[in-house]
Amino acid sequence: MKIAILSRKKSYYSTARLVEAAEQRGHQALVIDTPRAYMNIASHRPEIHYSGKALTGFDAVIPRIGASITFYGAAVLRQFEIMGVYPLNESVAISRSRDKLRSLQLLARKGIGLPVTGFAHSPDDIQDLITMVGGAPMVIKLLEGTQGIGVVLAETPKAAESVIEAFLGLQVNILVQEYIKEAGGADIRCFVIGDKVVASMKRQAVAGEFRSNLHRGGTASVIKITPEERSTAVRAANIMGLNVAGVDILRSNHGPVVMEVNSSPGLEGIEAATGKDIASLVIEFIERNARPNRTRTKGRG
Ligand code: ADP
Ligand code: MG
């Protein structure tokens, strides 16, 4: 097969591993720096050009689209879909998963366990918003944050009020959430491929910190998950329409709750923690599923 990988850099761990796994399995892999691709969207002959040449003959495309280029990245991926190339994750599913509010609404509608969560922009009654999610201690998040930045634990109602007021002044979307104290500063990353959790790791925050992000000094280790956690992760990925996803779960007193579903989960942490060759599992999934014109949505809806 000829596989395109949409990624900013060949040298990124995940990208390099996917290229390596594809080549080991006898495929050809080309890394495309997404913003540099340009397209002719004419209906009779849709094309994508890169470095002066038309990209042709691809069987599959692996999107590794960073949050900062979601909009253009989704357009390039959609163009591949229109040309009949099989996408590992569809453009519609990626756009959907990048919108946290939309994602959590979809998951909630389908009955997936979530922390009690509220969304707000310019709430006209901050007290009521705080009460709505069960009061302090509570977590307040900037909707646009990543790597734990913009995630605050407000221990008291006064602190919660101050943080919400501060965010209000910035005119940003915020999410207020029940604090899952019993998770003990740990979360579980489930790596889903198709209808299976192929690997899972526990990320534990450093002492005195509740955010387990590896970027915040958290440490990863292998963990055995329960059947309920397994099915929750697979269902969450499925509801988002993602074939490959990183589903982050907290262990709460009321069962597993999903925090987020990532459409371009990194391979470095999970391969290191579990010793599993996840890159090859991704390529094997493509081998089993790639067919021309198999995109369900082709950018619709
Ligand atoms: P980001 O997208 O920036 O990673 P997250 O929503 O994943 O933001 O939050 C960062 C970390 O903070 C999580 O990995 C988790 O350890 C912790 N955390 C987030 N929300 C909660 C919560 N409601 N209860 C307990 N811990 C939480
Ligand atoms: Mg996170």
Side-chain angles (χ1 to χ4, degrees):
M1 284 196 296
K2 198 168 152 188
I3 303 172
I5 303 177
L6 302 181
S7 169
R8 292 308 315 270
K9 284 202 175 80
K10 276 187 191 143
S11 58
Y12 286 159
Y13 179 92
S14 303
T15 308
R17 287 284 298 121
L18 289 164
V19 170
E20 186 181 37
E23 288 175 350
Q24 259 169 17
R25 299 185 61 81
H27 307 298
Q28 204 185 327
L30 177 74
V31 177
I32 294 166
D33 180 17
T34 320
R36 283 175 49 208
Y38 48 102
M39 306 169 276
N40 176 351
I41 64 166
S43 61
H44 59 287
R45 202 160 58 100
E47 283 184 331
I48 304 175
H49 282 230
Y50 191 68
S51 297
K53 286 199 203 79
L55 295 174
T56 55
F58 283 92
D59 302 289
V61 51
I62 302 178
R64 302 254 353 138
I65 297 170
S68 61
I69 59 157
T70 297
F71 181 74
Y72 194 70
V76 173
L77 180 59
R78 197 179 306 122
Q79 188 78 353
F80 272 107
E81 292 168 0
I82 292 165
M83 290 161 56
V85 180
Y86 174 79
L88 178 62
N89 279 332
E90 297 190 10
S91 58
V92 164
I94 292 174
S95 304
R96 190 187 282 144
S97 72
R98 286 288 157 81
D99 180 339
K100 263 193 199 177
L101 173 49
R102 186 177 177 190
S103 303
L104 293 180
Q105 284 175 318
L106 278 173
L107 295 173
R109 194 178 74 189
K110 298 283 184 179
I112 295 287
L114 304 173
V116 177
T117 303
F119 278 94
H121 183 277
S122 307
D124 63 2
D125 189 337
I126 293 176
Q127 290 311 326
D128 186 44
L129 176 66
I130 294 172
T131 314
M132 202 173 78
V133 296
M138 63 190 278
V139 176
I140 301 158
K141 302 182 189 182
L142 273 178
L143 208 53
E144 304 298 323
T146 56
Q147 304 178 350
I149 297 163
V151 179
V152 181
L153 172 61
E155 312 242 20
T156 65
K158 265 283 157 249
E161 194 183 324
S162 311
V163 173
I164 293 169
E165 272 172 359
F167 284 157
L168 252 177
L170 297 172
Q171 288 283 313
V172 288
N173 295 303
I174 56 168
L175 183 160
V176 292
Q177 205 160 58
E178 162 197 15
Y179 174 47
I180 311 292
K181 186 168 193 285
E182 60 273 23
D187 74 349
I188 299 170
R189 159 60 60 95
C190 298
F191 201 103
V192 177
I193 302 180
D195 55 5
K196 283 201 184 75
V197 175
V198 297
S200 47
M201 65 173 167
K202 174 174 145 172
R203 293 175 300 200
Q204 178 70 53
V206 290
E209 171 64 75
F210 79 105
R211 295 167 299 176
S212 61
N213 301 67
L214 302 182
H215 287 96
R216 310 244 68 77
T219 47
S221 59
V222 64
I223 191 175
K224 201 169 151 39
I225 58 170
T226 66
E228 193 188 3
E229 287 161 352
R230 199 169 280 282
S231 71
T232 299
V234 170
R235 280 191 63 217
N238 191 269
I239 290 165
M240 301 308 299
L242 294 167
N243 293 317
V244 170
V247 181
D248 293 341
I249 285 178
L250 293 173
R251 280 185 170 165
S252 85
N253 289 337
H254 46 98
V257 290
V258 171
M259 251 188 327
E260 54 183 347
V261 182
N262 193 315
S263 60
S264 290
L267 299 182
E268 189 165 14
I270 194 92
E271 287 196 336
T274 63
K276 288 189 181 164
D277 179 355
I278 310 292
S280 291
L281 296 178
V282 169
I283 302 298
E284 283 169 29
F285 178 86
I286 294 173
E287 289 169 3
R288 286 196 304 277
N289 290 281
R291 313 260 186 291
N293 296 304
R294 247 210 155 175
T295 308
R296 280 168 302 190
T297 54
K298 281 207 179 145
R300 288 191 306 264

